[in-house]
Amino acid sequence: MCEDVNNEQTWLDPLIDKITKNVDEDLKDVRYEASIPTDSFFLSDMMFLNIFANFNNGNEKKRSINVVVKKPPSSASVREMSRADEQFHNEILFYQKYGKRYPEFPRCLYALEKPPTDSVIVLENVVIQRGYDVTKWKHDIPLEYTLAALREIGRFHAKAYAMKEQHSDEFLDIVRNIKESRFLPGAHLGIIINITGTRSIEYLRKQGYDEHICDKLEAEFQHAYENIILKAVEPEEPFATLCHGDWTINNTLFKRENGELKAMFIDFALMRIGSPVIDLSTFLCLHCAKEINKDMLDNVLKVYHDSLRKCLIEHGVDCEKYSYEGLYEDFKKRGMFGFFIATFFLGIQMGKNTRKPEELTDMDPYNCGVELRSVGGDEISEILANMLLNLKDFGCLDHIL
């Protein structure tokens, strides 16, 4: 579905000129078609452009360029809530300092950082240009897709390790310039997580689960943001690497090539330096919530680590300090991170929320947390409770119990 974008022409025309010059100086007779997606909710204003042009060097060949344009949200309240200035800064930083090094990311054709409303990022539309696309699954995704995504995130983390060791000045330059946009004391997200974090405990109590364990967990989970989340995101060597920071199926595209399913990541506004467990636990707890148990985690972490290790070797990096045993222990230490993301977002991901996303972003954080705590009723509460017990069996609650 598309909306009329004629009223955007005043800023689009000069932007088109910048895009085409970055692509090829010999383009002429440029025209474009623009459309705005209305079937999804984005924490940025997004537009698709199809640009048509001829070559200016006597060659009659025509050129078509398909791009995605991202601008800060037009709503001031959403900009403030999402810390849009910081998010756009981080995504521009990613593409200009890191993403351009590797072909497995969308090509950035133009970026301007001019907050609060005039920042813009123009990216190659990899759906049209390269054949990647979103998957129809948002939860309980097929194992093949999970494994393809895990192999790619393993390569992503490994290349950042390689950069950290072999090009430390460039790596540290990225680290120094990342702006925190999500995990801050007193953040709205913290209020929400502290409200939704005990939902699974309430369900376990109703089922007659061990009262002593419930008491200990509830005491910790009432302040899950401060006690668990803020500690989990602190980088710690040797496993600190460049993390996507918002690695979900919504930010993962897939395509099948020569029979192999491949994954590509988009949307790096929440990138950060930290443990790979931040990415891994988020993806697994949101999209494999019903399947998580000790055996499953053992298997998928080995697939991830095999991909990580292979890529490290390809880049001439010593693998010993990035051992599977070390990763396993780090997951036990930080794996609850993804669980607490799931406490407020799993119900939305499973389509159980009856409110429009815009309504939630307009709520104050307390009422938003109360609303999200009840989304999906006992169905979501049971999934969260079972996932909690399975993470306990894996060892993720050893430091609490």
Side-chain angles (χ1 to χ4, degrees):
M1 298 174 63
C2 304
E3 296 177 352
D4 182 20
V5 293
N6 289 336
N7 59 337
E8 305 287 357
Q9 191 169 0
T10 54
W11 66 267
L12 264 181
D13 286 350
L15 179 63
I16 296 294
D17 186 54
K18 292 181 175 69
I19 296 170
T20 53
K21 285 181 178 177
N22 282 345
V23 171
D24 195 323
E25 288 282 355
D26 289 327
L27 295 179
K28 67 173 185 177
D29 301 329
V30 176
R31 61 186 180 86
Y32 62 89
E33 296 173 352
S35 61
I36 299 174
T38 59
D39 55 351
S40 298
F41 177 73
F42 307 97
L43 287 178
S44 61
D45 288 350
M46 189 176 295
M47 180 180 296
F48 299 131
L49 295 179
N50 192 4
I51 305 170
F52 307 93
N54 296 323
F55 283 95
N56 200 29
N57 56 5
N59 191 332
E60 293 301 319
K61 187 177 179 181
K62 297 182 184 296
R63 183 77 183 267
S64 177
I65 307 163
N66 299 280
V67 299
V68 178
V69 178
K70 298 173 67 173
K71 289 180 65 66
S74 52
S75 165
S77 62
V78 174
R79 285 201 308 274
E80 181 181 1
M81 180 274 297
S82 64
R83 297 181 68 92
D85 290 356
E86 290 83 355
Q87 290 204 27
F88 266 75
H89 168 87
N90 291 341
E91 187 147 29
I92 291 172
L93 175 68
F94 175 86
Y95 283 108
Q96 291 185 337
K97 298 285 188 178
Y98 188 84
K100 67 179 182 180
R101 300 167 64 98
Y102 303 108
E104 60 265 32
F105 302 113
R107 181 185 173 195
C108 182
L109 300 177
Y110 179 75
L112 173 68
E113 186 172 356
K114 194 175 180 181
T117 58
D118 292 330
S119 296
V120 64
I121 303 172
V122 181
L123 300 169
E124 166 195 14
N125 187 332
V126 294
V127 174
I128 296 175
Q129 299 289 123
R130 299 203 223 174
Y132 284 89
D133 207 348
V134 296
T135 173
K136 65 179 180 180
W137 292 281
K138 297 301 180 184
H139 58 91
D140 304 328
I141 65 176
L143 181 60
E144 180 187 21
Y145 284 80
T146 299
L147 297 182
L150 285 167
R151 292 188 183 101
E152 189 59 33
I153 202 70
R155 289 187 282 268
F156 176 78
H157 292 151
K159 289 175 181 177
Y161 285 135
M163 185 181 185
K164 181 172 71 171
E165 296 197 10
Q166 298 168 351
H167 305 279
S168 59
D169 289 346
E170 296 175 51
F171 184 81
L172 290 174
D173 182 54
I174 294 174
V175 173
R176 283 191 294 266
N177 281 285
I178 293 175
K179 292 185 178 181
E180 183 58 71
S181 62
R182 200 174 199 185
F183 302 112
L184 295 161
H188 287 187
L189 181 63
I191 297 170
I192 293 170
I193 286 178
N194 287 343
I195 293 172
T196 61
T198 57
R199 177 178 181 172
S200 58
I201 308 302
E202 180 182 20
Y203 182 84
L204 288 173
R205 288 190 189 280
K206 290 179 181 178
Q207 305 307 308
Y209 192 72
D210 187 290
E211 186 175 341
H212 176 67
I213 292 179
C214 285
D215 288 344
K216 292 191 73 171
L217 293 178
E218 185 168 30
E220 187 79 3
F221 290 6
Q222 283 176 341
H223 305 284
Y225 187 72
E226 295 78 14
N227 294 340
I228 297 173
I229 294 293
L230 292 183
K231 293 178 180 178
V233 298
E234 283 297 315
E236 186 177 326
E237 295 299 341
F239 278 95
T241 188
L242 186 66
C243 296
H244 184 286
D246 190 26
W247 186 42
T248 67
I249 202 71
N250 307 320
N251 293 330
T252 308
L253 306 177
F254 296 90
K255 78 170 178 179
R256 197 172 296 278
E257 188 172 85
N258 299 323
E260 179 185 0
L261 190 65
K262 295 186 175 183
M264 173 185 281
F265 307 134
I266 58 173
D267 292 344
F268 294 91
L270 295 176
M271 75 161 175
R272 64 183 311 106
I273 301 301
S275 166
V277 175
I278 293 171
D279 285 340
L280 295 170
S281 64
T282 299
F283 189 92
L284 294 172
C285 290
L286 282 177
H287 308 302
C288 310
K290 295 178 184 177
E291 286 77 34
I292 283 183
N293 58 43
K294 188 177 186 304
D295 288 342
M296 180 267 199
L297 287 173
D298 281 334
N299 291 333
V300 299
L301 289 180
K302 285 175 181 172
V303 169
Y304 162 83
H305 190 264
D306 285 346
S307 178
L308 176 89
R309 187 174 186 277
K310 181 181 178 182
C311 190
L312 288 173
I313 292 172
E314 289 172 354
H315 284 77
V317 176
D318 181 9
C319 301
E320 291 305 313
K321 61 183 175 183
Y322 306 115
S323 67
Y324 177 73
E325 292 74 21
L327 173 69
Y328 190 98
E329 289 302 314
D330 205 43
F331 198 96
K332 287 170 61 176
K333 181 178 179 180
R334 304 174 198 269
M336 291 301 294
F337 176 90
F339 173 80
F340 287 106
I341 300 300
T343 63
F344 72 87
F345 199 62
L346 179 62
I348 295 175
Q349 195 67 37
M350 293 181 65
K352 303 298 181 180
N353 182 43
T354 57
R355 289 187 181 271
K356 294 180 179 180
E358 301 93 313
E359 294 180 88
L360 291 174
T361 57
D362 285 340
M363 287 184 179
D364 69 81
Y366 178 83
N367 287 325
C368 183
V370 171
E371 179 83 15
L372 292 175
R373 184 182 171 98
S374 64
V375 168
D378 280 352
E379 179 185 358
I380 300 297
S381 296
E382 182 179 9
I383 294 171
L384 289 170
N386 289 334
M387 181 163 51
L388 176 63
L389 296 181
N390 284 321
L391 289 169
K392 172 181 174 292
D393 289 344
F394 189 78
C396 292
L397 297 177
D398 288 355
H399 62 293
I400 299 174
L401 301 175

